[in-house]
């Protein structure tokens, strides 16, 4: 759930607002996998306008090489491929070779991005429960037997428990910190006990200090994961990689 102050507090409300982009019967609609409640709203909107949408099925993976990691990214790519197919039917000259090359070479800064190795330092802008769940699954797939140190900083208006819960079981310890941004949440000892009671934790004032502490703690075979918001990711990329990521 994001932007609930604008879109509503329930999944059906959010889906209804999002479905507003479907405006007339001449539109082509591709729907990525959704929660049942959201899917029902989107289907109802299409039915109202006489549209037969294309629904992408999770796990119905075509054989293609993708430059992004994770099953969720393959589902995203499959959704994009359905859109490309429609555009080609509409007469747009999209070459198959261009599609293949695009999927293979795509890069997404701030999404499971490896900044350095020995130890591996990864940034990911997981800022809600759904993205944290996807990140946790990907960590399990990519680093099943590695010690993972989590550096976590979140924005004040986010579902903090929803972000922490999926990641907790994948990590060895956590450094709770905050981005240099007015919306950043200041973690407290009460937060740490609530969200990471069974893990070693430490509250560190800022991102640079948290990264330095993690690098001093991790061994060369370890993994440092920096996540929780794109503000945190932006700072971390600048510190570790000298690669700024603009976000608003």
């Amino acid at each position: 759930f994001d932007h609930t102050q604008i879109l509503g507090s329930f999944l059906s409300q959010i889906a209804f607002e999002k479905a507003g982009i479907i405006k007339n019967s001449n539109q082509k609609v591709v729907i990525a996998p959704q929660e049942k409640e959201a899917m029902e709203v989107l289907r109802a909107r299409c039915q109202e306008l006489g549209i037969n949408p294309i629904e992408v099925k999770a796990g119905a993976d075509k054989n293609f090489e993708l430059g992004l990691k994770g099953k969720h990214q393959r589902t995203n790519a499959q959704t994009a491929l359905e859109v490309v197919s429609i555009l080609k039917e509409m007469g747009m000259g999209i070459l198959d070779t261009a599609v293949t090359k695009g999927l293979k070479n795509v890069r997404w800064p701030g999404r499971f991005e490896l900044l350095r190795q020995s130890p591996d330092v990864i940034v990911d802008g997981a800022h809600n429960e759904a993205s944290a769940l996807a990140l946790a699954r990907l960590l399990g797939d990519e680093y099943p037997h590695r010690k993972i140190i989590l550096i976590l900083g979140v924005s004040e208006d986010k579902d903090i428990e929803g972000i922490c819960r999926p990641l907790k079981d994948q990590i060895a310890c956590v450094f709770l910190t905050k981005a240099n941004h007015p919306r950043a949440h200041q973690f407290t000892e009460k937060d740490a006990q609530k969200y990471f009671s069974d893990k070693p934790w430490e509250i560190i004032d800022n991102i640079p200090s948290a990264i330095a502490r993690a690098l001093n703690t991790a061994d060369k075979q370890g993994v440092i994961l920096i996540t929780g918001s794109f503000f945190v990711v932006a700072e971390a990329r600048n510190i570790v990689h000298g690669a700024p990521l603009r976000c608003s």
Side-chain angles (χ1 to χ4, degrees):
F1 288 87
D2 282 320
H3 312 297
T4 53
Q5 69 278 18
I6 298 172
L7 299 176
S9 300
F10 299 99
L11 195 56
S12 58
Q13 291 177 314
I14 296 170
F16 178 81
E17 295 295 335
K18 296 283 189 179
I21 198 172
I22 308 171
K23 297 183 182 300
N24 62 71
S25 59
N26 294 322
Q27 284 182 263
K28 303 290 186 179
V29 176
V30 178
I31 304 177
Q34 306 288 325
E35 295 289 341
K36 181 181 178 181
E37 187 178 356
M39 183 64 83
E40 288 176 352
V41 173
L42 296 173
R43 285 172 177 162
R45 178 61 176 171
C46 288
Q47 185 176 16
E48 178 185 342
L49 295 171
I51 297 171
N52 185 24
I54 295 173
E55 298 180 11
V56 177
K57 304 298 183 184
D61 191 2
K62 292 183 179 179
N63 185 25
F64 56 86
E65 188 175 355
L66 184 64
L68 302 174
K69 293 181 180 294
K71 294 177 181 178
H72 60 296
Q73 297 293 11
R74 296 195 70 82
T75 299
N76 290 340
Q78 184 65 47
T79 304
L81 285 172
E82 294 291 353
V83 174
V84 168
S85 179
I86 291 173
L87 292 174
K88 289 170 72 174
E89 289 175 4
M90 295 171 65
M92 294 195 67
I94 303 174
L95 298 176
D96 290 343
T97 52
V99 173
T100 300
K101 183 178 180 181
L103 291 172
K104 180 180 178 179
N105 296 326
V106 62
R107 298 293 180 268
W108 194 343
R111 284 297 192 190
F112 211 79
E113 181 183 12
L114 179 65
L115 299 186
R116 57 162 283 177
Q117 294 177 294
S118 299
D120 286 3
V121 177
I122 295 168
V123 291
D124 191 285
H127 61 278
N128 55 38
E129 184 176 10
S131 55
L133 280 166
L135 175 56
R137 286 193 293 265
L138 184 51
L139 283 171
D141 291 341
E142 294 292 319
Y143 298 109
H145 305 297
R146 303 272 285 275
K147 178 181 178 181
I148 299 173
I149 296 173
L150 174 63
I151 297 176
L152 182 68
V154 299
S155 295
E156 190 66 62
D157 58 342
K158 299 300 182 182
D159 177 9
I160 300 174
E161 184 173 5
I163 295 170
C164 295
R165 190 188 312 111
L167 296 172
K168 183 176 69 171
D169 293 338
Q170 296 290 346
I171 65 168
C173 64
V174 57
F175 298 134
L176 300 168
T177 187
K178 60 179 293 189
N180 182 24
H181 191 276
R183 280 173 48 199
H185 175 73
Q186 176 64 63
F187 279 103
T188 64
E189 291 188 11
K190 184 178 180 180
D191 290 333
Q193 291 291 352
K194 178 179 180 181
Y195 303 130
F196 296 100
S197 60
D198 59 344
K199 300 290 181 178
W201 56 265
E202 188 174 333
I203 297 173
I204 300 179
D205 288 339
N206 55 68
I207 304 297
S209 297
I211 291 175
R213 181 81 173 87
L215 287 171
N216 286 332
T217 302
D219 57 40
K220 289 186 177 181
Q221 304 304 315
V223 178
I224 298 171
L225 171 67
I226 307 170
T227 190
S229 86
F230 280 107
F231 301 118
V232 169
V233 166
E235 278 193 55
R237 292 180 90 250
N238 228 0
I239 293 164
V240 178
H241 203 42
L245 176 66
R246 297 184 64 183
C247 56
S248 58

PDB file of all heavy atoms in Angstrom, residues 8-38:
ATOM      1  N   GLY A   8      -6.684   5.946  -0.880  1.00  0.00           N
ATOM      2  CA  GLY A   8      -7.586   5.186  -0.017  1.00  0.00           C
ATOM      3  C   GLY A   8      -6.840   4.139   0.796  1.00  0.00           C
ATOM      4  O   GLY A   8      -5.694   3.799   0.498  1.00  0.00           O
ATOM      5  N   SER A   9      -7.493   3.624   1.821  1.00  0.00           N
ATOM      6  CA  SER A   9      -6.848   2.697   2.763  1.00  0.00           C
ATOM      7  C   SER A   9      -7.086   1.226   2.442  1.00  0.00           C
ATOM      8  O   SER A   9      -6.500   0.359   3.077  1.00  0.00           O
ATOM      9  CB  SER A   9      -7.348   2.986   4.187  1.00  0.00           C
ATOM     10  OG  SER A   9      -7.048   4.316   4.560  1.00  0.00           O
ATOM     11  N   PHE A  10      -7.981   0.943   1.501  1.00  0.00           N
ATOM     12  CA  PHE A  10      -8.307  -0.439   1.159  1.00  0.00           C
ATOM     13  C   PHE A  10      -7.866  -0.746  -0.266  1.00  0.00           C
ATOM     14  O   PHE A  10      -7.863   0.130  -1.139  1.00  0.00           O
ATOM     15  CB  PHE A  10      -9.805  -0.685   1.309  1.00  0.00           C
ATOM     16  CG  PHE A  10     -10.306  -0.476   2.707  1.00  0.00           C
ATOM     17  CD1 PHE A  10     -10.929   0.711   3.063  1.00  0.00           C
ATOM     18  CD2 PHE A  10     -10.143  -1.460   3.677  1.00  0.00           C
ATOM     19  CE1 PHE A  10     -11.387   0.918   4.347  1.00  0.00           C
ATOM     20  CE2 PHE A  10     -10.608  -1.261   4.968  1.00  0.00           C
ATOM     21  CZ  PHE A  10     -11.219  -0.073   5.309  1.00  0.00           C
ATOM     22  N   LEU A  11      -7.513  -2.015  -0.487  1.00  0.00           N
ATOM     23  CA  LEU A  11      -7.031  -2.430  -1.794  1.00  0.00           C
ATOM     24  C   LEU A  11      -8.054  -2.143  -2.889  1.00  0.00           C
ATOM     25  O   LEU A  11      -7.701  -1.711  -3.993  1.00  0.00           O
ATOM     26  CB  LEU A  11      -6.676  -3.917  -1.763  1.00  0.00           C
ATOM     27  CG  LEU A  11      -5.839  -4.466  -2.919  1.00  0.00           C
ATOM     28  CD1 LEU A  11      -4.542  -3.698  -3.057  1.00  0.00           C
ATOM     29  CD2 LEU A  11      -5.562  -5.942  -2.703  1.00  0.00           C
ATOM     30  N   SER A  12      -9.327  -2.360  -2.582  1.00  0.00           N
ATOM     31  CA  SER A  12     -10.370  -2.107  -3.585  1.00  0.00           C
ATOM     32  C   SER A  12     -10.453  -0.622  -3.939  1.00  0.00           C
ATOM     33  O   SER A  12     -10.683  -0.272  -5.106  1.00  0.00           O
ATOM     34  CB  SER A  12     -11.721  -2.597  -3.069  1.00  0.00           C
ATOM     35  OG  SER A  12     -12.057  -1.961  -1.845  1.00  0.00           O
ATOM     36  N   GLN A  13     -10.240   0.241  -2.944  1.00  0.00           N
ATOM     37  CA  GLN A  13     -10.250   1.684  -3.207  1.00  0.00           C
ATOM     38  C   GLN A  13      -9.091   2.086  -4.098  1.00  0.00           C
ATOM     39  O   GLN A  13      -9.240   2.865  -5.048  1.00  0.00           O
ATOM     40  CB  GLN A  13     -10.176   2.465  -1.888  1.00  0.00           C
ATOM     41  CG  GLN A  13     -11.404   2.367  -1.016  1.00  0.00           C
ATOM     42  CD  GLN A  13     -11.212   3.096   0.298  1.00  0.00           C
ATOM     43  OE1 GLN A  13     -10.175   2.948   0.959  1.00  0.00           O
ATOM     44  NE2 GLN A  13     -12.194   3.884   0.688  1.00  0.00           N
ATOM     45  N   ILE A  14      -7.933   1.563  -3.777  1.00  0.00           N
ATOM     46  CA  ILE A  14      -6.732   1.890  -4.557  1.00  0.00           C
ATOM     47  C   ILE A  14      -6.890   1.392  -5.989  1.00  0.00           C
ATOM     48  O   ILE A  14      -6.586   2.100  -6.950  1.00  0.00           O
ATOM     49  CB  ILE A  14      -5.483   1.277  -3.895  1.00  0.00           C
ATOM     50  CG1 ILE A  14      -5.266   1.903  -2.513  1.00  0.00           C
ATOM     51  CG2 ILE A  14      -4.254   1.473  -4.767  1.00  0.00           C
ATOM     52  CD1 ILE A  14      -4.206   1.220  -1.678  1.00  0.00           C
ATOM     53  N   ALA A  15      -7.387   0.157  -6.139  1.00  0.00           N
ATOM     54  CA  ALA A  15      -7.585  -0.406  -7.476  1.00  0.00           C
ATOM     55  C   ALA A  15      -8.596   0.418  -8.266  1.00  0.00           C
ATOM     56  O   ALA A  15      -8.437   0.635  -9.472  1.00  0.00           O
ATOM     57  CB  ALA A  15      -8.054  -1.862  -7.366  1.00  0.00           C
ATOM     58  N   PHE A  16      -9.656   0.889  -7.593  1.00  0.00           N
ATOM     59  CA  PHE A  16     -10.665   1.710  -8.263  1.00  0.00           C
ATOM     60  C   PHE A  16     -10.040   2.994  -8.799  1.00  0.00           C
ATOM     61  O   PHE A  16     -10.315   3.403  -9.937  1.00  0.00           O
ATOM     62  CB  PHE A  16     -11.805   2.036  -7.296  1.00  0.00           C
ATOM     63  CG  PHE A  16     -12.868   2.927  -7.879  1.00  0.00           C
ATOM     64  CD1 PHE A  16     -13.863   2.388  -8.686  1.00  0.00           C
ATOM     65  CD2 PHE A  16     -12.862   4.294  -7.641  1.00  0.00           C
ATOM     66  CE1 PHE A  16     -14.842   3.212  -9.241  1.00  0.00           C
ATOM     67  CE2 PHE A  16     -13.838   5.112  -8.188  1.00  0.00           C
ATOM     68  CZ  PHE A  16     -14.830   4.572  -8.995  1.00  0.00           C
ATOM     69  N   GLU A  17      -9.200   3.635  -7.989  1.00  0.00           N
ATOM     70  CA  GLU A  17      -8.545   4.870  -8.437  1.00  0.00           C
ATOM     71  C   GLU A  17      -7.594   4.586  -9.595  1.00  0.00           C
ATOM     72  O   GLU A  17      -7.542   5.332 -10.573  1.00  0.00           O
ATOM     73  CB  GLU A  17      -7.790   5.516  -7.271  1.00  0.00           C
ATOM     74  CG  GLU A  17      -8.683   6.006  -6.141  1.00  0.00           C
ATOM     75  CD  GLU A  17      -9.612   7.132  -6.561  1.00  0.00           C
ATOM     76  OE1 GLU A  17      -9.287   7.852  -7.525  1.00  0.00           O
ATOM     77  OE2 GLU A  17     -10.672   7.290  -5.920  1.00  0.00           O
ATOM     78  N   LYS A  18      -6.841   3.506  -9.493  1.00  0.00           N
ATOM     79  CA  LYS A  18      -5.904   3.140 -10.565  1.00  0.00           C
ATOM     80  C   LYS A  18      -6.647   2.789 -11.850  1.00  0.00           C
ATOM     81  O   LYS A  18      -6.168   3.065 -12.953  1.00  0.00           O
ATOM     82  CB  LYS A  18      -5.047   1.952 -10.120  1.00  0.00           C
ATOM     83  CG  LYS A  18      -4.129   2.223  -8.941  1.00  0.00           C
ATOM     84  CD  LYS A  18      -2.917   3.009  -9.341  1.00  0.00           C
ATOM     85  CE  LYS A  18      -1.916   3.090  -8.203  1.00  0.00           C
ATOM     86  NZ  LYS A  18      -0.699   3.844  -8.567  1.00  0.00           N
ATOM     87  N   ALA A  19      -7.820   2.167 -11.694  1.00  0.00           N
ATOM     88  CA  ALA A  19      -8.601   1.748 -12.865  1.00  0.00           C
ATOM     89  C   ALA A  19      -9.132   2.935 -13.644  1.00  0.00           C
ATOM     90  O   ALA A  19      -9.611   2.783 -14.779  1.00  0.00           O
ATOM     91  CB  ALA A  19      -9.757   0.851 -12.438  1.00  0.00           C
ATOM     92  N   GLY A  20      -9.029   4.127 -13.071  1.00  0.00           N
ATOM     93  CA  GLY A  20      -9.472   5.322 -13.773  1.00  0.00           C
ATOM     94  C   GLY A  20      -8.719   5.598 -15.056  1.00  0.00           C
ATOM     95  O   GLY A  20      -9.201   6.343 -15.920  1.00  0.00           O
ATOM     96  N   ILE A  21      -7.550   4.971 -15.200  1.00  0.00           N
ATOM     97  CA  ILE A  21      -6.788   5.142 -16.448  1.00  0.00           C
ATOM     98  C   ILE A  21      -7.473   4.424 -17.614  1.00  0.00           C
ATOM     99  O   ILE A  21      -7.199   4.713 -18.782  1.00  0.00           O
ATOM    100  CB  ILE A  21      -5.338   4.639 -16.262  1.00  0.00           C
ATOM    101  CG1 ILE A  21      -4.430   5.190 -17.356  1.00  0.00           C
ATOM    102  CG2 ILE A  21      -5.288   3.115 -16.224  1.00  0.00           C
ATOM    103  CD1 ILE A  21      -2.967   4.884 -17.132  1.00  0.00           C
ATOM    104  N   ILE A  22      -8.335   3.471 -17.317  1.00  0.00           N
ATOM    105  CA  ILE A  22      -9.105   2.769 -18.351  1.00  0.00           C
ATOM    106  C   ILE A  22     -10.339   3.621 -18.647  1.00  0.00           C
ATOM    107  O   ILE A  22     -11.293   3.653 -17.882  1.00  0.00           O
ATOM    108  CB  ILE A  22      -9.517   1.358 -17.875  1.00  0.00           C
ATOM    109  CG1 ILE A  22      -8.305   0.591 -17.360  1.00  0.00           C
ATOM    110  CG2 ILE A  22     -10.190   0.594 -19.006  1.00  0.00           C
ATOM    111  CD1 ILE A  22      -8.653  -0.720 -16.687  1.00  0.00           C
ATOM    112  N   LYS A  23     -10.336   4.319 -19.768  1.00  0.00           N
ATOM    113  CA  LYS A  23     -11.310   5.379 -20.001  1.00  0.00           C
ATOM    114  C   LYS A  23     -12.339   5.106 -21.097  1.00  0.00           C
ATOM    115  O   LYS A  23     -13.414   5.680 -21.085  1.00  0.00           O
ATOM    116  CB  LYS A  23     -10.577   6.693 -20.317  1.00  0.00           C
ATOM    117  CG  LYS A  23      -9.707   7.201 -19.171  1.00  0.00           C
ATOM    118  CD  LYS A  23      -9.068   8.526 -19.519  1.00  0.00           C
ATOM    119  CE  LYS A  23      -8.168   9.015 -18.402  1.00  0.00           C
ATOM    120  NZ  LYS A  23      -8.896   9.215 -17.130  1.00  0.00           N
ATOM    121  N   ASN A  24     -11.986   4.279 -22.083  1.00  0.00           N
ATOM    122  CA  ASN A  24     -12.961   4.068 -23.156  1.00  0.00           C
ATOM    123  C   ASN A  24     -12.798   2.689 -23.778  1.00  0.00           C
ATOM    124  O   ASN A  24     -11.790   2.006 -23.575  1.00  0.00           O
ATOM    125  CB  ASN A  24     -12.832   5.155 -24.238  1.00  0.00           C
ATOM    126  CG  ASN A  24     -11.473   5.149 -24.904  1.00  0.00           C
ATOM    127  OD1 ASN A  24     -11.157   4.236 -25.672  1.00  0.00           O
ATOM    128  ND2 ASN A  24     -10.655   6.162 -24.636  1.00  0.00           N
ATOM    129  N   SER A  25     -13.789   2.289 -24.551  1.00  0.00           N
ATOM    130  CA  SER A  25     -13.848   0.924 -25.085  1.00  0.00           C
ATOM    131  C   SER A  25     -12.811   0.660 -26.168  1.00  0.00           C
ATOM    132  O   SER A  25     -12.616  -0.493 -26.556  1.00  0.00           O
ATOM    133  CB  SER A  25     -15.248   0.652 -25.641  1.00  0.00           C
ATOM    134  OG  SER A  25     -15.568   1.590 -26.672  1.00  0.00           O
ATOM    135  N   ASN A  26     -12.151   1.697 -26.662  1.00  0.00           N
ATOM    136  CA  ASN A  26     -11.142   1.510 -27.708  1.00  0.00           C
ATOM    137  C   ASN A  26      -9.769   1.159 -27.150  1.00  0.00           C
ATOM    138  O   ASN A  26      -8.850   0.882 -27.922  1.00  0.00           O
ATOM    139  CB  ASN A  26     -11.036   2.780 -28.553  1.00  0.00           C
ATOM    140  CG  ASN A  26     -12.309   3.057 -29.339  1.00  0.00           C
ATOM    141  OD1 ASN A  26     -12.946   2.132 -29.844  1.00  0.00           O
ATOM    142  ND2 ASN A  26     -12.698   4.325 -29.436  1.00  0.00           N
ATOM    143  N   GLN A  27      -9.655   1.187 -25.855  1.00  0.00           N
ATOM    144  CA  GLN A  27      -8.353   0.928 -25.250  1.00  0.00           C
ATOM    145  C   GLN A  27      -8.036  -0.566 -25.211  1.00  0.00           C
ATOM    146  O   GLN A  27      -8.927  -1.410 -25.147  1.00  0.00           O
ATOM    147  CB  GLN A  27      -8.300   1.478 -23.822  1.00  0.00           C
ATOM    148  CG  GLN A  27      -8.152   2.995 -23.737  1.00  0.00           C
ATOM    149  CD  GLN A  27      -8.047   3.454 -22.296  1.00  0.00           C
ATOM    150  OE1 GLN A  27      -9.021   3.860 -21.697  1.00  0.00           O
ATOM    151  NE2 GLN A  27      -6.847   3.367 -21.750  1.00  0.00           N
ATOM    152  N   LYS A  28      -6.737  -0.844 -25.279  1.00  0.00           N
ATOM    153  CA  LYS A  28      -6.232  -2.191 -25.029  1.00  0.00           C
ATOM    154  C   LYS A  28      -5.725  -2.218 -23.592  1.00  0.00           C
ATOM    155  O   LYS A  28      -5.034  -1.303 -23.156  1.00  0.00           O
ATOM    156  CB  LYS A  28      -5.090  -2.530 -25.986  1.00  0.00           C
ATOM    157  CG  LYS A  28      -5.438  -2.411 -27.463  1.00  0.00           C
ATOM    158  CD  LYS A  28      -6.392  -3.498 -27.905  1.00  0.00           C
ATOM    159  CE  LYS A  28      -6.598  -3.447 -29.429  1.00  0.00           C
ATOM    160  NZ  LYS A  28      -7.502  -4.519 -29.893  1.00  0.00           N
ATOM    161  N   VAL A  29      -6.052  -3.254 -22.861  1.00  0.00           N
ATOM    162  CA  VAL A  29      -5.693  -3.320 -21.446  1.00  0.00           C
ATOM    163  C   VAL A  29      -4.919  -4.601 -21.155  1.00  0.00           C
ATOM    164  O   VAL A  29      -5.363  -5.693 -21.494  1.00  0.00           O
ATOM    165  CB  VAL A  29      -6.954  -3.256 -20.554  1.00  0.00           C
ATOM    166  CG1 VAL A  29      -6.575  -3.414 -19.080  1.00  0.00           C
ATOM    167  CG2 VAL A  29      -7.701  -1.948 -20.783  1.00  0.00           C
ATOM    168  N   VAL A  30      -3.757  -4.433 -20.533  1.00  0.00           N
ATOM    169  CA  VAL A  30      -2.958  -5.562 -20.055  1.00  0.00           C
ATOM    170  C   VAL A  30      -2.874  -5.442 -18.543  1.00  0.00           C
ATOM    171  O   VAL A  30      -2.495  -4.389 -18.010  1.00  0.00           O
ATOM    172  CB  VAL A  30      -1.541  -5.550 -20.660  1.00  0.00           C
ATOM    173  CG1 VAL A  30      -0.713  -6.713 -20.095  1.00  0.00           C
ATOM    174  CG2 VAL A  30      -1.606  -5.625 -22.181  1.00  0.00           C
ATOM    175  N   ILE A  31      -3.241  -6.500 -17.846  1.00  0.00           N
ATOM    176  CA  ILE A  31      -3.256  -6.484 -16.385  1.00  0.00           C
ATOM    177  C   ILE A  31      -2.216  -7.470 -15.861  1.00  0.00           C
ATOM    178  O   ILE A  31      -2.277  -8.663 -16.153  1.00  0.00           O
ATOM    179  CB  ILE A  31      -4.642  -6.846 -15.830  1.00  0.00           C
ATOM    180  CG1 ILE A  31      -5.719  -5.906 -16.396  1.00  0.00           C
ATOM    181  CG2 ILE A  31      -4.635  -6.777 -14.304  1.00  0.00           C
ATOM    182  CD1 ILE A  31      -7.138  -6.263 -15.945  1.00  0.00           C
ATOM    183  N   ALA A  32      -1.281  -6.963 -15.090  1.00  0.00           N
ATOM    184  CA  ALA A  32      -0.299  -7.817 -14.425  1.00  0.00           C
ATOM    185  C   ALA A  32      -0.980  -8.568 -13.285  1.00  0.00           C
ATOM    186  O   ALA A  32      -2.083  -8.200 -12.856  1.00  0.00           O
ATOM    187  CB  ALA A  32       0.851  -6.964 -13.897  1.00  0.00           C
ATOM    188  N   PRO A  33      -0.361  -9.626 -12.762  1.00  0.00           N
ATOM    189  CA  PRO A  33      -0.964 -10.369 -11.655  1.00  0.00           C
ATOM    190  C   PRO A  33      -1.299  -9.451 -10.474  1.00  0.00           C
ATOM    191  O   PRO A  33      -0.494  -8.589 -10.104  1.00  0.00           O
ATOM    192  CB  PRO A  33       0.122 -11.379 -11.282  1.00  0.00           C
ATOM    193  CG  PRO A  33       0.888 -11.582 -12.553  1.00  0.00           C
ATOM    194  CD  PRO A  33       0.900 -10.239 -13.218  1.00  0.00           C
ATOM    195  N   GLN A  34      -2.491  -9.626  -9.913  1.00  0.00           N
ATOM    196  CA  GLN A  34      -2.988  -8.784  -8.830  1.00  0.00           C
ATOM    197  C   GLN A  34      -3.559  -9.646  -7.703  1.00  0.00           C
ATOM    198  O   GLN A  34      -3.902 -10.805  -7.900  1.00  0.00           O
ATOM    199  CB  GLN A  34      -4.112  -7.867  -9.345  1.00  0.00           C
ATOM    200  CG  GLN A  34      -3.776  -7.021 -10.542  1.00  0.00           C
ATOM    201  CD  GLN A  34      -2.830  -5.889 -10.206  1.00  0.00           C
ATOM    202  OE1 GLN A  34      -2.899  -5.320  -9.116  1.00  0.00           O
ATOM    203  NE2 GLN A  34      -1.952  -5.553 -11.132  1.00  0.00           N
ATOM    204  N   GLU A  35      -3.695  -9.029  -6.541  1.00  0.00           N
ATOM    205  CA  GLU A  35      -4.489  -9.648  -5.483  1.00  0.00           C
ATOM    206  C   GLU A  35      -5.936  -9.774  -5.983  1.00  0.00           C
ATOM    207  O   GLU A  35      -6.402  -8.974  -6.789  1.00  0.00           O
ATOM    208  CB  GLU A  35      -4.450  -8.801  -4.217  1.00  0.00           C
ATOM    209  CG  GLU A  35      -3.077  -8.684  -3.575  1.00  0.00           C
ATOM    210  CD  GLU A  35      -2.617  -9.980  -2.922  1.00  0.00           C
ATOM    211  OE1 GLU A  35      -3.489 -10.836  -2.649  1.00  0.00           O
ATOM    212  OE2 GLU A  35      -1.397 -10.135  -2.699  1.00  0.00           O
ATOM    213  N   LYS A  36      -6.648 -10.788  -5.484  1.00  0.00           N
ATOM    214  CA  LYS A  36      -8.000 -11.067  -5.968  1.00  0.00           C
ATOM    215  C   LYS A  36      -8.906  -9.844  -5.894  1.00  0.00           C
ATOM    216  O   LYS A  36      -9.648  -9.524  -6.828  1.00  0.00           O
ATOM    217  CB  LYS A  36      -8.604 -12.220  -5.165  1.00  0.00           C
ATOM    218  CG  LYS A  36     -10.011 -12.602  -5.609  1.00  0.00           C
ATOM    219  CD  LYS A  36     -10.571 -13.737  -4.758  1.00  0.00           C
ATOM    220  CE  LYS A  36     -11.996 -14.087  -5.187  1.00  0.00           C
ATOM    221  NZ  LYS A  36     -12.566 -15.167  -4.351  1.00  0.00           N
ATOM    222  N   GLU A  37      -8.841  -9.126  -4.774  1.00  0.00           N
ATOM    223  CA  GLU A  37      -9.698  -7.966  -4.568  1.00  0.00           C
ATOM    224  C   GLU A  37      -9.449  -6.892  -5.621  1.00  0.00           C
ATOM    225  O   GLU A  37     -10.386  -6.303  -6.169  1.00  0.00           O
ATOM    226  CB  GLU A  37      -9.453  -7.400  -3.169  1.00  0.00           C
ATOM    227  CG  GLU A  37     -10.401  -6.287  -2.766  1.00  0.00           C
ATOM    228  CD  GLU A  37     -10.136  -5.807  -1.354  1.00  0.00           C
ATOM    229  OE1 GLU A  37      -9.266  -6.398  -0.664  1.00  0.00           O
ATOM    230  OE2 GLU A  37     -10.785  -4.834  -0.929  1.00  0.00           O
ATOM    231  N   ALA A  38      -8.171  -6.652  -5.926  1.00  0.00           N
ATOM    232  CA  ALA A  38      -7.826  -5.642  -6.927  1.00  0.00           C
ATOM    233  C   ALA A  38      -8.209  -6.106  -8.324  1.00  0.00           C
ATOM    234  O   ALA A  38      -8.720  -5.330  -9.138  1.00  0.00           O
ATOM    235  CB  ALA A  38      -6.332  -5.333  -6.859  1.00  0.00           C
TER     236      ALA A  38
END
